[in-house]
Amino acid sequence: MRLPYYAPMLATAGVVPQNDAQWNYEVKFDGIRAIAYLADELRILSRNNKDITTAWPELAPLAPSNPPFVVDGEIVTLDADGRSSFGALQSRMHQRNPARIRSLVATTPATYMIFDLLHIGDRSLIDLPYQQRRKLLEQLNLRGPHWQTPPRLSGPGATVLSESRRLGFEGIVCKRLDSPYVPGRRSPLWLKVKNIRDLEIIIVGWKPGTGRRAGHIGSLLMAVHAQTGELTYIGNVGTGFTQSMLNDLRVKLQPLERRTATIDADVADAVWVEPELVGEVTFTDWTGDGRLRHPSWRGLRSDKVSRDVKMPLSDH
């Protein structure tokens, strides 16, 4: 049976709802969004519709399945306390060499956190309410060495968020019990509430380092698309890198270098690049002139495309 394609439904940034009786809550995991298609074999597609199946061989035993089905979830790496670690995931995200992948599976195994059921047999479930889809998903009992179905939690939502903060999780996702699954759209029926501030950014250039970073990247120049569409400079990030991250960035940025400035910004000694690579940073706040305050690098996001990286409405 040929399973239909489903683009992932996206959550809107927001606050914990007041009417707890209409919502369930889930832990927000810090990983790679992935839709899995299970039939005779497993096929995994990323948020931007790339086939990433070969990158995650430890998930292959999910298949075969009869009846076939489609699930939504997040691929993560877990630390000793069960928290997802985006930093640890970096070594896996961009790797496509089979021998290297096999080595990394042993040292940095992935876990697929499955949180929604979109299709089973010959029936699409996306028009069913979230609560019913979750009950059907839980009946499948998808638990194994590298996959699980995390619990859905009841309110009070403020208590769930507070507990997620105490345990060191990134935040929670609030989902309306009656919400259908809306493929490819960002919906207020799903709300993401974070304990930390982070932002997807576009790399538009870099500045050479000094001291121990002489001859390497010192900082990355960041931009996002304003709500009106133009690319807008939001500052530099120079902390949070490992040496392997800097080496990888240099390799990926070199073929993107250009002679003219990528954006209108008063930056000296910059090496400009085409605005193609997407990364993620944490930060404390925005400055009065529209720059990120105390940004720290988290890693590249190969599952995101630069045209979708926009200034959050909640910030500006």
Side-chain angles (χ1 to χ4, degrees), residues 69-93:
F69 59 89
V70 182
V71 289
D72 188 3
E74 193 96 356
I75 297 175
V76 302
T77 54
L78 300 176
D79 63 18
D81 296 317
R83 291 186 293 262
S84 53
S85 170
F86 189 72
L89 194 65
Q90 283 289 297
S91 65
R92 297 289 310 270
M93 284 178 63

mmCIF file of all heavy atoms in Angstrom, residues 69-93:
data_model
loop_
_atom_site.group_PDB
_atom_site.id
_atom_site.type_symbol
_atom_site.label_atom_id
_atom_site.label_comp_id
_atom_site.label_asym_id
_atom_site.label_seq_id
_atom_site.Cartn_x
_atom_site.Cartn_y
_atom_site.Cartn_z
ATOM 1 N N PHE A 69 1.294 2.403 8.628
ATOM 2 C CA PHE A 69 0.805 3.629 9.263
ATOM 3 C C PHE A 69 1.848 4.736 9.154
ATOM 4 O O PHE A 69 3.003 4.506 8.783
ATOM 5 C CB PHE A 69 0.401 3.379 10.723
ATOM 6 C CG PHE A 69 1.499 2.855 11.616
ATOM 7 C CD1 PHE A 69 2.342 3.721 12.294
ATOM 8 C CD2 PHE A 69 1.664 1.487 11.807
ATOM 9 C CE1 PHE A 69 3.337 3.237 13.124
ATOM 10 C CE2 PHE A 69 2.645 1.001 12.644
ATOM 11 C CZ PHE A 69 3.494 1.881 13.310
ATOM 12 N N VAL A 70 1.410 5.954 9.486
ATOM 13 C CA VAL A 70 2.265 7.149 9.444
ATOM 14 C C VAL A 70 2.198 7.829 10.803
ATOM 15 O O VAL A 70 1.100 8.054 11.341
ATOM 16 C CB VAL A 70 1.794 8.144 8.354
ATOM 17 C CG1 VAL A 70 2.723 9.367 8.302
ATOM 18 C CG2 VAL A 70 1.726 7.467 6.999
ATOM 19 N N VAL A 71 3.364 8.139 11.374
ATOM 20 C CA VAL A 71 3.413 8.811 12.669
ATOM 21 C C VAL A 71 4.284 10.056 12.582
ATOM 22 O O VAL A 71 5.143 10.192 11.705
ATOM 23 C CB VAL A 71 3.955 7.878 13.782
ATOM 24 C CG1 VAL A 71 2.942 6.803 14.124
ATOM 25 C CG2 VAL A 71 5.292 7.274 13.396
ATOM 26 N N ASP A 72 4.045 10.958 13.517
ATOM 27 C CA ASP A 72 4.810 12.197 13.638
ATOM 28 C C ASP A 72 5.574 12.149 14.947
ATOM 29 O O ASP A 72 5.087 11.609 15.955
ATOM 30 C CB ASP A 72 3.847 13.391 13.624
ATOM 31 C CG ASP A 72 4.545 14.738 13.553
ATOM 32 O OD1 ASP A 72 5.792 14.776 13.448
ATOM 33 O OD2 ASP A 72 3.845 15.764 13.580
ATOM 34 N N GLY A 73 6.788 12.702 14.956
ATOM 35 C CA GLY A 73 7.567 12.712 16.182
ATOM 36 C C GLY A 73 8.846 13.505 16.053
ATOM 37 O O GLY A 73 9.042 14.252 15.091
ATOM 38 N N GLU A 74 9.717 13.333 17.035
ATOM 39 C CA GLU A 74 10.979 14.070 17.116
ATOM 40 C C GLU A 74 12.103 13.068 17.370
ATOM 41 O O GLU A 74 12.023 12.240 18.278
ATOM 42 C CB GLU A 74 10.911 15.073 18.267
ATOM 43 C CG GLU A 74 12.003 16.101 18.266
ATOM 44 C CD GLU A 74 11.602 17.409 17.612
ATOM 45 O OE1 GLU A 74 10.479 17.509 17.077
ATOM 46 O OE2 GLU A 74 12.428 18.337 17.621
ATOM 47 N N ILE A 75 13.157 13.143 16.532
ATOM 48 C CA ILE A 75 14.345 12.318 16.751
ATOM 49 C C ILE A 75 15.278 13.083 17.683
ATOM 50 O O ILE A 75 15.640 14.229 17.417
ATOM 51 C CB ILE A 75 15.057 12.010 15.425
ATOM 52 C CG1 ILE A 75 14.144 11.188 14.506
ATOM 53 C CG2 ILE A 75 16.351 11.242 15.686
ATOM 54 C CD1 ILE A 75 14.720 10.952 13.125
ATOM 55 N N VAL A 76 15.664 12.442 18.792
ATOM 56 C CA VAL A 76 16.476 13.115 19.805
ATOM 57 C C VAL A 76 17.613 12.199 20.246
ATOM 58 O O VAL A 76 17.608 10.997 19.979
ATOM 59 C CB VAL A 76 15.626 13.497 21.041
ATOM 60 C CG1 VAL A 76 14.464 14.395 20.659
ATOM 61 C CG2 VAL A 76 15.119 12.249 21.765
ATOM 62 N N THR A 77 18.583 12.792 20.916
ATOM 63 C CA THR A 77 19.546 12.018 21.700
ATOM 64 C C THR A 77 19.322 12.397 23.158
ATOM 65 O O THR A 77 19.101 13.572 23.475
ATOM 66 C CB THR A 77 20.994 12.318 21.283
ATOM 67 O OG1 THR A 77 21.236 13.730 21.342
ATOM 68 C CG2 THR A 77 21.258 11.835 19.879
ATOM 69 N N LEU A 78 19.367 11.421 24.038
ATOM 70 C CA LEU A 78 19.032 11.635 25.444
ATOM 71 C C LEU A 78 20.275 11.562 26.313
ATOM 72 O O LEU A 78 21.163 10.735 26.085
ATOM 73 C CB LEU A 78 18.022 10.587 25.913
ATOM 74 C CG LEU A 78 16.686 10.556 25.159
ATOM 75 C CD1 LEU A 78 15.833 9.401 25.667
ATOM 76 C CD2 LEU A 78 15.946 11.880 25.301
ATOM 77 N N ASP A 79 20.324 12.437 27.340
ATOM 78 C CA ASP A 79 21.420 12.355 28.299
ATOM 79 C C ASP A 79 21.054 11.355 29.396
ATOM 80 O O ASP A 79 19.997 10.704 29.349
ATOM 81 C CB ASP A 79 21.763 13.739 28.871
ATOM 82 C CG ASP A 79 20.619 14.370 29.672
ATOM 83 O OD1 ASP A 79 19.693 13.629 30.088
ATOM 84 O OD2 ASP A 79 20.654 15.590 29.900
ATOM 85 N N ALA A 80 21.907 11.231 30.387
ATOM 86 C CA ALA A 80 21.705 10.230 31.439
ATOM 87 C C ALA A 80 20.432 10.478 32.240
ATOM 88 O O ALA A 80 19.876 9.551 32.837
ATOM 89 C CB ALA A 80 22.912 10.210 32.372
ATOM 90 N N ASP A 81 19.952 11.727 32.258
ATOM 91 C CA ASP A 81 18.746 12.076 33.010
ATOM 92 C C ASP A 81 17.503 12.052 32.152
ATOM 93 O O ASP A 81 16.430 12.478 32.602
ATOM 94 C CB ASP A 81 18.916 13.456 33.650
ATOM 95 C CG ASP A 81 20.047 13.480 34.677
ATOM 96 O OD1 ASP A 81 20.137 12.513 35.460
ATOM 97 O OD2 ASP A 81 20.840 14.437 34.680
ATOM 98 N N GLY A 82 17.624 11.600 30.890
ATOM 99 C CA GLY A 82 16.461 11.513 30.020
ATOM 100 C C GLY A 82 16.095 12.802 29.328
ATOM 101 O O GLY A 82 15.006 12.907 28.748
ATOM 102 N N ARG A 83 16.975 13.792 29.375
ATOM 103 C CA ARG A 83 16.717 15.060 28.682
ATOM 104 C C ARG A 83 17.308 15.006 27.280
ATOM 105 O O ARG A 83 18.388 14.455 27.078
ATOM 106 C CB ARG A 83 17.302 16.243 29.456
ATOM 107 C CG ARG A 83 16.591 16.538 30.767
ATOM 108 C CD ARG A 83 17.151 17.797 31.381
ATOM 109 N NE ARG A 83 18.529 17.620 31.805
ATOM 110 C CZ ARG A 83 18.895 17.346 33.043
ATOM 111 N NH1 ARG A 83 17.990 17.207 33.991
ATOM 112 N NH2 ARG A 83 20.175 17.212 33.359
ATOM 113 N N SER A 84 16.606 15.609 26.317
ATOM 114 C CA SER A 84 17.137 15.653 24.959
ATOM 115 C C SER A 84 18.276 16.663 24.879
ATOM 116 O O SER A 84 18.226 17.733 25.480
ATOM 117 C CB SER A 84 16.032 16.016 23.965
ATOM 118 O OG SER A 84 15.358 17.200 24.349
ATOM 119 N N SER A 85 19.322 16.299 24.138
ATOM 120 C CA SER A 85 20.514 17.136 24.016
ATOM 121 C C SER A 85 20.747 17.485 22.556
ATOM 122 O O SER A 85 21.174 16.635 21.766
ATOM 123 C CB SER A 85 21.736 16.402 24.574
ATOM 124 O OG SER A 85 22.928 17.099 24.268
ATOM 125 N N PHE A 86 20.456 18.718 22.189
ATOM 126 C CA PHE A 86 20.649 19.135 20.808
ATOM 127 C C PHE A 86 22.132 19.173 20.458
ATOM 128 O O PHE A 86 22.525 18.888 19.326
ATOM 129 C CB PHE A 86 20.017 20.507 20.573
ATOM 130 C CG PHE A 86 19.993 20.916 19.133
ATOM 131 C CD1 PHE A 86 19.126 20.300 18.248
ATOM 132 C CD2 PHE A 86 20.831 21.898 18.657
ATOM 133 C CE1 PHE A 86 19.095 20.665 16.904
ATOM 134 C CE2 PHE A 86 20.813 22.270 17.323
ATOM 135 C CZ PHE A 86 19.939 21.655 16.452
ATOM 136 N N GLY A 87 22.965 19.501 21.419
ATOM 137 C CA GLY A 87 24.403 19.517 21.173
ATOM 138 C C GLY A 87 24.921 18.148 20.789
ATOM 139 O O GLY A 87 25.705 17.996 19.844
ATOM 140 N N ALA A 88 24.482 17.110 21.518
ATOM 141 C CA ALA A 88 24.908 15.746 21.194
ATOM 142 C C ALA A 88 24.374 15.295 19.842
ATOM 143 O O ALA A 88 25.018 14.524 19.124
ATOM 144 C CB ALA A 88 24.449 14.786 22.288
ATOM 145 N N LEU A 89 23.195 15.796 19.485
ATOM 146 C CA LEU A 89 22.583 15.413 18.218
ATOM 147 C C LEU A 89 23.349 15.949 17.018
ATOM 148 O O LEU A 89 23.251 15.412 15.909
ATOM 149 C CB LEU A 89 21.137 15.917 18.181
ATOM 150 C CG LEU A 89 20.209 15.362 17.103
ATOM 151 C CD1 LEU A 89 19.984 13.873 17.310
ATOM 152 C CD2 LEU A 89 18.879 16.102 17.113
ATOM 153 N N GLN A 90 24.123 17.015 17.217
ATOM 154 C CA GLN A 90 24.834 17.636 16.097
ATOM 155 C C GLN A 90 25.729 16.648 15.355
ATOM 156 O O GLN A 90 25.855 16.701 14.133
ATOM 157 C CB GLN A 90 25.674 18.811 16.601
ATOM 158 C CG GLN A 90 24.873 20.066 16.893
ATOM 159 C CD GLN A 90 24.374 20.732 15.621
ATOM 160 O OE1 GLN A 90 25.150 21.173 14.789
ATOM 161 N NE2 GLN A 90 23.065 20.793 15.463
ATOM 162 N N SER A 91 26.374 15.743 16.081
ATOM 163 C CA SER A 91 27.274 14.793 15.422
ATOM 164 C C SER A 91 26.526 13.823 14.518
ATOM 165 O O SER A 91 27.115 13.216 13.619
ATOM 166 C CB SER A 91 28.068 13.998 16.467
ATOM 167 O OG SER A 91 27.200 13.180 17.238
ATOM 168 N N ARG A 92 25.208 13.689 14.738
ATOM 169 C CA ARG A 92 24.395 12.754 13.950
ATOM 170 C C ARG A 92 23.643 13.434 12.807
ATOM 171 O O ARG A 92 23.405 12.820 11.760
ATOM 172 C CB ARG A 92 23.358 12.067 14.860
ATOM 173 C CG ARG A 92 23.902 11.200 15.974
ATOM 174 C CD ARG A 92 24.518 9.908 15.474
ATOM 175 N NE ARG A 92 23.669 9.168 14.551
ATOM 176 C CZ ARG A 92 22.778 8.242 14.916
ATOM 177 N NH1 ARG A 92 22.632 7.938 16.192
ATOM 178 N NH2 ARG A 92 22.069 7.596 14.007
ATOM 179 N N MET A 93 23.254 14.692 12.995
ATOM 180 C CA MET A 93 22.327 15.345 12.074
ATOM 181 C C MET A 93 22.828 15.395 10.638
ATOM 182 O O MET A 93 22.064 15.215 9.698
ATOM 183 C CB MET A 93 22.033 16.766 12.543
ATOM 184 C CG MET A 93 21.097 16.854 13.713
ATOM 185 S SD MET A 93 20.844 18.555 14.242
ATOM 186 C CE MET A 93 20.072 19.280 12.799
#
